[in-house]
Amino acid sequence: MYCNLKVCVIGNGTHSKRIQDILNKKNIDFLIFKPKSKKNYKKENIEFLKKFDAIFIVSPDKTHFHYVNKLYRFCYIFCEKPPCNNSADLNQLMRIKSKKIYYNFNHRFSKIAEILKNKNKFNLGKLLYGNIISCHGLGLKKEYENSWRSNKKLSLNGIFEVVSIHWIDLINYIFTVQKIENKRLFNVSKYGSSFDNSNVKLLINKNSFVDIYNSWTTALVEKKIFIFANGIIEEDFGFITIKGPSKNLDKNNFFLPPKIIKKIKVDKDNDELISLRKSIEHFIEIVLKKGSFDIKNNQTSLRSNRLLFDNNLR
């Protein structure tokens, strides 16, 4: 069914190889395009790229806008996050109303996203507070020094635009972020010039906040908690637990921990691959049908992107 689909993948790094593996398993043939010159990539082979049906942009962040802007009139575009890394480019993307562009914030397809979207099913009530911690030691490895992620010229905001943006988008997609109340980016690793630690507080409304901490210089940590008016959702290494109601009293009228409503086993690495696969499947399905991507979802993606540069969205 894919034999007549002409697909090109721009970029050949670690994440690109994940996407390539999924395409291979779907029996989708593709060409890998990598510019000969990192400095002069804007001058290379745009006419050649226009001939493809679908383009996967999985190159360094600073190149995304160039390819989207040059190719969206000719091809379906799967653009990795963030769509761009400066406000001038973002303003131009906001003016593009193409229905052939898809921005890949694949956490929207994750298990935690599925549960948060269906929170009303568990009668949890309004979100009051959330905390997301996602860390590992990439910045402690010597090879990190030569990664584009550690280079401030290639990744201005470092871990904030590579990792934190995914979690910011997840919260914005489900709850709608009003602004970043606090943002702190800093370096701990002795390798590289860009930021390897990020801590932000998102304002959902006047009584709801979500804290996000990401690091490339700590032990492996994956913890999430979302506290609602009538219950809790927790994720901690391998399990998502839904608890409620908030009012759970013993015979002496003292509070007990909320009861477990549901406990779900989740393999983090597998969940990330599954969410990426679902995102790619969604993209390919639209391309095959010659259909349209939801402009509203694209605007939400760009709104998430704006939080890289502008703390206030109100």
Side-chain angles (χ1 to χ4, degrees):
M1 65 185 296
Y2 304 120
C3 59
N4 295 320
L5 197 63
K6 295 173 64 178
V7 177
C8 179
V9 178
I10 302 176
N12 198 30
T14 302
H15 188 59
S16 177
K17 287 181 170 62
R18 294 190 191 101
I19 290 175
Q20 292 170 37
D21 185 56
I22 291 169
L23 294 176
N24 280 324
K25 289 176 179 176
K26 295 288 178 185
N27 295 316
I28 298 173
D29 292 330
F30 56 89
L31 180 142
I32 300 170
F33 173 76
K34 191 173 181 181
K36 295 177 183 177
S37 169
K38 291 181 180 179
K39 292 183 179 179
N40 297 315
Y41 69 91
K42 292 183 180 180
K43 298 180 180 179
E44 291 188 31
N45 289 313
I46 288 298
E47 292 305 315
F48 169 73
L49 292 170
K50 288 177 182 179
K51 298 175 182 178
F52 287 90
D53 299 310
I55 300 280
F56 285 78
I57 302 172
V58 205
S59 46
D61 294 351
K62 77 165 192 172
T63 69
H64 292 179
F65 170 76
H66 165 71
Y67 289 120
V68 172
N69 192 44
K70 292 293 184 181
L71 297 171
Y72 78 88
R73 295 180 184 89
F74 308 95
C75 322
Y76 279 92
I77 302 292
F78 179 104
C79 180
E80 265 301 329
K81 54 75 201 158
C84 60
N85 64 0
N86 66 76
S87 57
D89 289 347
L90 181 64
N91 289 335
Q92 289 195 56
L93 288 180
M94 294 290 286
R95 290 192 286 269
I96 295 173
K97 303 303 180 184
S98 171
K99 295 182 179 181
K100 297 175 74 172
I101 303 172
Y102 177 73
Y103 299 113
N104 181 42
F105 286 100
N106 62 276
H107 279 17
R108 297 180 185 184
F109 294 87
S110 66
K111 182 57 71 174
I112 192 69
E114 178 188 327
I115 292 168
L116 289 172
K117 282 189 288 187
N118 290 286
K119 58 190 180 299
N120 292 340
K121 175 182 175 182
F122 305 105
N123 194 32
L124 297 177
K126 177 186 173 183
L127 177 70
L128 300 177
Y129 176 75
N131 185 259
I132 297 171
I133 303 172
S134 182
C135 310
H136 58 70
L138 173 66
L140 304 177
K141 295 181 176 181
K142 182 67 172 69
E143 56 262 37
Y144 174 70
E145 186 174 17
N146 297 317
S147 168
W148 64 266
R149 293 170 179 82
S150 72
N151 188 331
K152 202 162 190 177
K153 292 181 179 179
L154 299 177
S155 182
L156 180 65
N157 296 288
I159 194 169
F160 183 59
E161 70 181 56
V162 177
V163 178
S164 304
I165 188 64
H166 263 308
W167 298 115
I168 290 170
D169 175 75
L170 177 67
I171 300 305
N172 185 45
Y173 178 62
I174 297 173
F175 298 104
T176 306
V177 174
Q178 297 301 316
K179 70 173 182 176
I180 292 182
E181 191 79 0
N182 291 301
K183 178 171 74 175
R184 183 167 176 255
L185 310 181
F186 58 100
N187 290 77
V188 174
S189 174
K190 63 181 180 180
Y191 307 117
S193 57
S194 200
F195 300 110
D196 49 46
N197 279 257
S198 166
N199 185 204
V200 296
K201 179 185 287 291
L202 308 179
L203 174 67
I204 309 306
N205 55 54
K206 65 179 182 179
N207 293 318
S208 301
F209 293 89
V210 176
D211 284 311
I212 302 173
Y213 176 62
N214 300 119
S215 175
W216 283 333
T217 61
T218 73
L220 179 64
V221 184
E222 288 287 339
K223 291 180 181 289
K224 301 171 192 72
I225 184 167
F226 298 92
I227 300 173
F228 296 85
N230 195 42
I232 298 170
I233 296 174
E234 292 179 279
E235 182 175 5
D236 188 5
F237 279 123
F239 290 95
I240 297 175
T241 308
I242 305 162
K243 302 176 182 178
S246 296
K247 189 176 181 180
N248 185 29
L249 305 172
D250 65 13
K251 61 183 180 181
N252 296 314
N253 211 34
F254 291 116
F255 275 96
L256 295 170
K259 296 176 181 178
I260 294 176
I261 299 172
K262 192 170 186 177
K263 191 168 186 178
I264 304 161
K265 187 171 177 57
V266 179
D267 180 324
K268 175 186 175 294
D269 291 335
N270 193 45
D271 185 45
E272 289 186 354
L273 285 174
I274 289 171
S275 61
L276 179 59
R277 175 178 56 77
K278 287 180 178 179
S279 188
I280 291 171
E281 287 173 347
H282 172 65
F283 174 75
I284 293 295
E285 181 183 0
I286 296 294
V287 174
L288 287 172
K289 293 191 300 188
K290 296 185 179 179
S292 301
F293 292 106
D294 188 337
I295 291 288
K296 184 178 179 181
N297 279 346
N298 275 359
Q299 291 300 306
T300 298
S301 298
L302 295 176
R303 195 173 182 274
S304 296
N305 196 166
R306 186 170 293 284
L307 285 164
L308 290 178
F309 332 114
D310 186 352
N311 290 352
N312 196 333
L313 292 182
R314 290 185 291 184

